[in-house]
Amino acid sequence: MFDPFGDFDSKGYLRNTRKDKAPVIIKHMEHNLFRANLADALTYLADQDVIEYGHFLEVHRLLFGNYYPWAGEDRQMTAPHLLVSKSDTTFCEPRSIHLAIDQGLRLAQREQRMGDVPGEIMGLFAYGHPFLDGNGRTMLLVHMELAHRAGFSIDWPATNKDDYLRALTLEIESPGRGILDRYLLPFCGPVIDRNQWADNVLAMKGLDGLDDENQVEGDLRDASVAEKYRQFDEARNYSYRHAVPGAPDAADDLDYTEEYRGKGSGPYLS
């Protein structure tokens, strides 16, 4: 059982408010909360002029805050030293989560490339994996809103779960090569009415991203774990352009002049 807090026996799975431990009950609670709070989360996203990292976090809180007290807090807050993986896929170390999500949001909104690289953007969200649980549902809603603003929709219920997850896994490992783009683009079509979104989302199978549960890959303060992550991140060979600290209005005009390429950036790695 995924237990990053180390208190599963006394507080249940991820310190949920009911102290539930049985996986079937936990998944049932998560799904019911998602159904109950879906409309509020979609309305919240629609009301934002520009979707930013904080809005990504707030969607998660709206969906799961009644069950997980830490909902809306990313792994830098909840598990700052842990490297997390799922289904043999390693996610980015906590200090790089914001960077990965921001890159996806920037491509979608500032560079207006949502219609060209929807898979690359989804892969960045998935690699960022901000939360201890509920990532797939959260990033799906954000991705749907970004697609709507770009003038198209993805027929998610028509996608094949296994094919999608296979492409998503490869996208995380080798980002920016068009792997998930090639899978998703045939399912892209005209925008659909917002009133249909909830039904479309709930018709999907495997809402929570990659199959299986999260697992702790190790403590990043351990040199061997840090080196393993560094090698994985470097092999991804993905370049992020990021705002230079102190640049005038950097947050607004995104005057990107420096570059980060996968070299294990973070507090634990040199």
Side-chain angles (χ1 to χ4, degrees), residues 246-265:
D249 300 320
D252 296 324
D253 60 21
L254 297 185
D255 181 18
Y256 293 87
T257 58
E258 291 186 355
E259 183 179 88
Y260 161 78
R261 187 175 297 277
K263 294 181 179 176
S265 176

Side-chain angles (χ1 to χ4, degrees), residues 51-54 96-110 124-125 240-241 254 256:
I51 299 176
E52 300 176 344
Y53 185 68
S96 298
I97 293 171
H98 196 157
L99 181 67
I101 301 299
D102 270 355
Q103 172 77 350
L105 294 174
R106 179 178 68 82
L107 287 174
Q109 299 174 118
R110 305 291 182 170
L124 286 163
F125 293 165
Y240 302 90
R241 290 186 298 157
L254 297 185
Y256 293 87

Side-chain angles (χ1 to χ4, degrees), residues 83-86 88-92 127 172 217 228-229 232:
L83 184 62
V84 173
S85 63
K86 181 187 285 192
D88 298 323
T89 297
T90 300
F91 303 114
C92 73
Y127 180 55
I172 291 173
E217 190 75 13
K228 180 180 179 180
Y229 174 74
F232 173 78

